[in-house]
Amino acid sequence: MIAGSAVPQGTQIIPVGPEAAEAACTVIRRSITHCCVLDHANDPAILTAWLANKTPENLAAWMSAPGAAVWGAYRGGTMVGFALLARATLALCYVVPEALHQGVGRALLREAEAHARQSRLAALGLESTRTAEAFYRRNGYEPAGAVQSWAGLQAQPMRKVF
């Protein structure tokens, strides 16, 4: 676990397992729907495609996969953020709208990076939405390839070398 000073007051970052899949699904779906409008522009077809695999069943499987490391950000027993590291890739990192710009996403990112370093990874990769790209750049990530397109969405591959 990262140093307490890096975690916003009143927030706990803790490892979670598949039993937290439903709460994680709620966080992810709310974040995508309300925080990522720059990406989906409230287009129902794009939103439906993006959310299609964001189910508790899929999340439980991803959380249980070999090499997965998973954290929840909690405030008073309610999950307000979620991150999933799949080997050397930050596969998911989302925060609910009311926790945006309060350090929750940064604390989750720092936890994933600390785990990656402890696992002796030389770098961490991810595919950033347009909404999150500035956040990742502020945290030391750089573009690592051409922008990818899928179902009306764009993702910028990014990487941070440790």
Side-chain angles (χ1 to χ4, degrees):
M1 197 153 154
I2 58 176
S5 63
V7 179
Q9 187 173 2
T11 304
Q12 290 183 303
I13 307 295
I14 59 172
V16 295
E19 71 284 348
E22 192 166 324
C25 186
T26 298
V27 167
I28 293 166
R29 294 177 73 84
R30 287 189 64 221
S31 184
I32 289 170
T33 302
H34 299 289
C35 304
C36 299
V37 176
L38 178 63
D39 295 281
H40 59 69
N42 290 316
D43 181 315
I46 294 172
L47 202 48
T48 297
W50 195 355
L51 296 174
N53 68 346
K54 309 305 186 289
T55 66
E57 297 77 22
N58 283 345
L59 279 167
W62 299 337
M63 294 164 83
S64 301
V70 190
W71 300 271
Y74 287 86
R75 286 189 179 154
T78 300
M79 187 183 284
V80 296
F82 175 79
L84 176 115
L85 186 62
R87 301 192 193 273
T89 301
L90 183 64
L92 301 168
C93 188
Y94 288 97
V95 175
V96 295
E98 56 273 17
L100 274 181
H101 309 294
Q102 297 173 21
V104 175
R106 184 177 58 242
L108 286 164
L109 184 60
R110 294 289 177 261
E111 193 71 40
E113 290 174 349
H115 180 84
R117 285 184 185 98
Q118 289 170 355
S119 299
R120 302 185 192 279
L121 295 176
L124 190 58
L126 57 87
E127 288 190 3
S128 177
T129 61
R130 292 172 57 205
T131 299
E133 187 175 347
F135 165 77
Y136 289 118
R137 285 179 183 267
R138 283 191 308 272
N139 284 281
Y141 289 78
E142 297 180 353
V147 171
Q148 306 294 307
S149 296
W150 173 82
L153 294 166
Q154 292 183 341
Q156 173 63 64
M158 300 185 87
R159 187 169 187 244
K160 181 176 183 177
V161 177
F162 301 123

